[in-house]
Amino acid sequence: MVYVDGKFDYAANKEAAETFITEYILPYIRYCKVTDGTILADKDSGTAQTKRVYLNNGTTFEVKNGGCLDIYFDANGDNNPNENGKDIFTFTFCNDPEFQLSYFGNTNQYFGPLAYTDGPNSIESYNTRDKALAQCKESPSTCSVLLQRYDNFEFKEDYPW
């Protein structure tokens, strides 16, 4: 995370995300184009916080630099509904032990769904597939956990959306 005078520096964090994409992802995938992101923006200035990658199959993903690198995967690109749990799923790469504990509950995990170890949508609140499915129906932003932890990134027949 980059701060300037105690404020989150959106431009610097977007640049860090772009550097990550350029060095560690783009050389290894087929893609159409890279643009400024659309999922997150600073409401005051309209500054994009992410970089968006358009893949050849019509899907997109955006990368945001923060405490970790958050990945917003959109299963159908620019097409609607563009809602968490329906076509947008959030994952994170994290090597900071403090954030690993907060997101994953341990310091040995580096990638996973963007979830938290405390609060109403904590990882513990959906520690079985049935609980994760129920949580996904109630709070679509938690559907990334269902997809990754229990369904091997597949949309099963009972997936709610």
Side-chain angles (χ1 to χ4, degrees), residues 56-117:
N56 290 346
N57 66 0
T59 62
T60 63
F61 67 89
E62 295 189 22
V63 176
K64 175 186 177 230
N65 180 55
C68 301
L69 282 168
D70 298 334
I71 314 281
Y72 300 85
F73 178 79
D74 192 330
N76 63 353
D78 290 335
N79 297 320
N80 288 328
N82 291 323
E83 295 179 30
N84 282 324
K86 295 185 178 182
D87 63 338
I88 297 174
F89 302 92
T90 308
F91 302 94
T92 190
F93 283 106
C94 199
N95 65 359
D96 180 302
E98 183 178 327
F99 285 105
Q100 288 171 315
L101 279 174
S102 176
Y103 293 145
F104 310 130
N106 68 75
T107 58
N108 298 318
Q109 184 174 340
Y110 295 89
F111 174 77
L114 186 58
Y116 297 94
T117 55

Side-chain angles (χ1 to χ4, degrees), residues 114-157:
L114 186 58
Y116 297 94
T117 55
D118 57 5
N121 292 332
S122 71
I123 293 170
E124 288 81 20
S125 69
Y126 34 75
N127 58 6
T128 67
R129 186 185 188 281
D130 288 339
K131 288 181 181 180
L133 179 61
Q135 188 72 14
C136 175
K137 290 176 182 178
E138 186 174 315
S139 179
S141 66
T142 66
C143 292
S144 299
V145 172
L146 175 66
L147 282 177
Q148 183 192 3
R149 291 212 169 146
Y150 300 104
D151 291 348
N152 198 29
F153 293 98
E154 295 178 27
F155 293 100
K156 303 289 183 182
E157 286 186 25

